Structure formats: structure tokens, C-alpha cells
Amino acid sequence: MQISLQNQVAVITGASSGIGSGIAKSLASAGATVIVNHSSERSADEAKAVLKEITDAGGKGITYQCDVSKEDQVIKMFQDVVSEFGTVDILINNAGIQKDSKFTEMTIDQWNAVIGVNLTGQFLCAREAIKEFLRRGIDPSRSIACGKIIHISSVHEIIPWAGHANYASSKGAIRMLMQTLAQEYGADKIRVNSICPGAIQTPINKDAWSTPDALNSLLTLIPYNRIGQPQDIGNLAAFLASDLADYITGTSIFVDGGMTTFESFSTGG
Ligand code: NAD
């Protein structure tokens, strides 16, 4: 049994670092042509470095700058990708940010920034991807599904998170977005799922692992007793995007070393 994404084109948002870069590498190694999306000029070099690793390993792809919270930029990204590669088969809705604050001190800018990237960005990219999937229709030389969307959510889709109301709200909402799309487009053979990472070692949560004290405290939340790596998410994303997962749609899969078993209750609470 082998995961194959041959002949397929995948857009991975926020792929210049962390989980997105891990997913881009996994999908490329399974044969997909990958669009390594990054948000701004500042992340262009990082995106190029990710793409270089991919092409050095024999993979194919391009980098593409687009702020996923901006409708005009998202529409243009999908138009450009379709005109260069013919279509899009897979969307990985990964771009995400945190702007943490005690709730009573949270500004409207902090709220809007997080909802804008984490939720509106996923809405915009999913809408443009589904339009393209429906335009193309099923092509069995690519996949038995018409298209695949994977939302990168979080354990905070179900675990409330004090001091992070904007982030937890965005992730909770992704669950309903994902399930609604899976329901609305199931008959069109479009599969939509979420991956919910626990603690993965990336720049977004550097404060939680960059000192031994912080890491030890983090590990008290993780029964499997290690921090996750982007590859842990990339492995599942490649499987979920492939035809091996053809009967999986409308679900959230947690990749968290057991965090959602609530380790702190392991001694009886
Ligand atoms: P990261 O900071 O390395 O990656 C986030 C990426 O999103 C960056 O490449 C950033 O440039 C990009 N981005 C931000 N705003 C953007 C925009 N407007 N348009 C396009 N791209 C934009 O952190 P990460 O941990 O790799 O996060 C990736 C996803 O995983 C996020 O959605 C995050 O919420 C989720 N997640 C991460 C963890 C974890 O422990 N690291 C846990 C649960 C969920």
C-alpha cells in the first residue's frame, strides 16, 4: 500500500514555516505539485528555502505570495494556479496566527486579525477551491474524488483556552465550516476534513518549548511525552488527501500525543 498523489496539484497556505512546510514536503514526496503559499515579502526567502528542499528531493512546485485574509488576493492565487497548472486537486487550509490577550483587554484589532486569517482565510480558500473542483469535475486519472480540502484546526477546536478567546473561537468555528462543506458537497465527491494538532514544535508556540522549564511544563499535558513535529501532521495530510482515505469526510482527526485525553486527570482528577 502506497500513498500516491501523482498528477495532483496542492495549494498549501502558510507553507513557508512550521506545519505548512512539513505538509508541503509530505505531499510533494507523494508526487503532488505543491504551491508553497506565503503571506508577504518578508516570508519569501523562507518559502524559497522550503521549495528548494522539495525540488532537491525530486519534488515539484512553486512559491506563491498571497495574504489569505484578502479576498482579491485569494481569488487571484487560484486563477494563477489554474492557469499555470490546469487545476487544483487539494487545498490544505493551514495559515494561522495567534494574538493572545486576557479577554477584557482584547482589542478589536486582535480579534479581527485572528478571525481574518484563521477563519475568513479558510472560508475564502475553500470557496475558490470548491469552485475549481466543480468546474473540473472528477478526473479518474488524478483521483477518484473531485477534490480534497484539509483544514488545519487545533485541539482548541474542543479544548477551551483562557487568554486565547479569538484563537479558540476561530478553531471551534472551523469544525462547523468543515462539517457543513462535507455535507453540502459530499454528493459532488468533494472530501472535507480537519486535522487538529496538539503541541507541534513550530514558531507559533516557541515560548512553550524553547526553554527546558517550558518544555517540561508542556509535557505534563501530553501522555505520549514528546512534543509533535510538522512531519507528524504531514504524514496524516498526505494520507487524507489520497484515495486511500476515500471514505473519510466530515471528520476531525486529532494528532496530539493524547492531549485530548486530558492528562492532568490521569491520577483521578
Ligand atoms: P507557523 O507560525 O510556523 O505557521 C503559520 C504560517 O501561516 C506561517 O507560515 C505564516 O507566515 C502563515 N500566515 C500567517 N498569516 C498569513 C496570511 N494572512 N496569509 C498567508 N499565510 C499566513 O505556525 P504553525 O504551528 O506551523 O501553524 C500552522 C497552523 O497550525 C495554524 O493554523 C495553527 O493554528 C495550527 N496549529 C498549530 C499548532 C502547534 O502546536 N504548532 C497546534 C494546533 C494548531
Side-chain angles (χ1 to χ4, degrees):
M1 193 168 60
Q2 209 191 344
I3 294 174
S4 171
L5 301 174
Q6 289 296 337
N7 302 326
Q8 299 192 55
V9 178
V11 173
I12 302 106
T13 68
S16 56
S17 65
I19 290 172
S21 70
I23 294 175
K25 289 172 201 167
S26 293
L27 268 52
S29 77
T33 298
V34 291
I35 314 308
V36 177
N37 161 249
H38 63 101
S39 57
S40 65
E41 278 299 319
R42 268 178 298 121
S43 45
D45 286 345
E46 276 184 311
K48 280 185 201 144
V50 172
L51 182 63
K52 184 170 184 316
E53 252 191 81
I54 287 169
T55 52
D56 284 353
K60 303 179 288 285
I62 58 165
T63 62
Y64 193 100
Q65 185 182 326
C66 163
D67 177 340
V68 296
S69 67
K70 303 282 190 307
E71 184 175 30
D72 55 340
Q73 294 188 28
V74 171
I75 290 172
K76 186 165 187 317
M77 174 168 70
F78 278 84
Q79 283 172 344
D80 288 349
V81 171
V82 171
S83 79
E84 184 162 351
F85 297 103
T87 190
V88 173
D89 303 274
I90 299 160
L91 166 65
I92 310 290
N93 250 338
N94 166 75
I97 57 171
Q98 283 182 223
K99 300 266 181 208
D100 308 330
S101 167
K102 194 170 156 42
F103 185 65
T104 48
E105 284 150 27
M106 187 173 285
T107 65
I108 187 73
D109 287 347
Q110 287 172 316
W111 175 268
N112 283 340
V114 170
I115 298 297
V117 176
N118 297 16
L119 183 59
T120 308
Q122 295 216 4
F123 152 67
L124 291 170
C125 291
R127 189 186 66 187
E128 295 313 302
I130 290 174
K131 281 195 226 165
E132 172 53 22
F133 298 161
L134 295 173
R135 183 202 65 78
R136 169 183 25 82
I138 297 173
D139 174 354
S141 71
R142 314 174 75 86
S143 171
I144 49 181
C146 184
K148 283 87 54 146
I149 296 179
I150 298 170
H151 298 276
I152 303 304
S153 178
S154 166
V155 289
H156 297 296
E157 172 173 307
I158 58 164
I159 303 178
W161 202 13
H164 305 74
N166 46 3
Y167 184 85
S169 301
S170 72
K171 297 300 186 180
I174 286 170
R175 184 181 185 90
M176 274 297 125
L177 176 63
M178 175 276 291
Q179 289 189 311
T180 301
L181 297 182
Q183 188 188 64
E184 194 164 334
Y185 292 100
D188 295 296
K189 294 282 175 280
I190 294 171
R191 293 194 294 107
V192 189
N193 293 289
S194 290
I195 298 177
C196 301
I200 310 297
Q201 194 166 15
T202 75
I204 208 172
N205 56 2
K206 197 160 188 281
D207 291 350
W209 51 260
S210 53
T211 66
D213 280 354
L215 182 59
N216 283 334
S217 158
L218 177 68
L219 291 178
T220 64
L221 302 174
I222 307 172
Y224 206 59
N225 206 36
R226 76 164 169 87
I227 191 166
Q229 296 301 323
Q231 201 59 53
D232 292 311
I233 308 300
N235 292 341
L236 176 60
F239 167 73
L240 265 185
S242 79
D243 285 348
L244 292 175
D246 190 58
Y247 205 47
I248 303 177
T249 193
T251 202
S252 292
I253 301 180
F254 289 78
V255 182
D256 66 354
M259 188 181 264
T260 37
T261 66
F262 297 91
E263 170 73 358
S264 51
F265 279 85
S266 61
T267 51

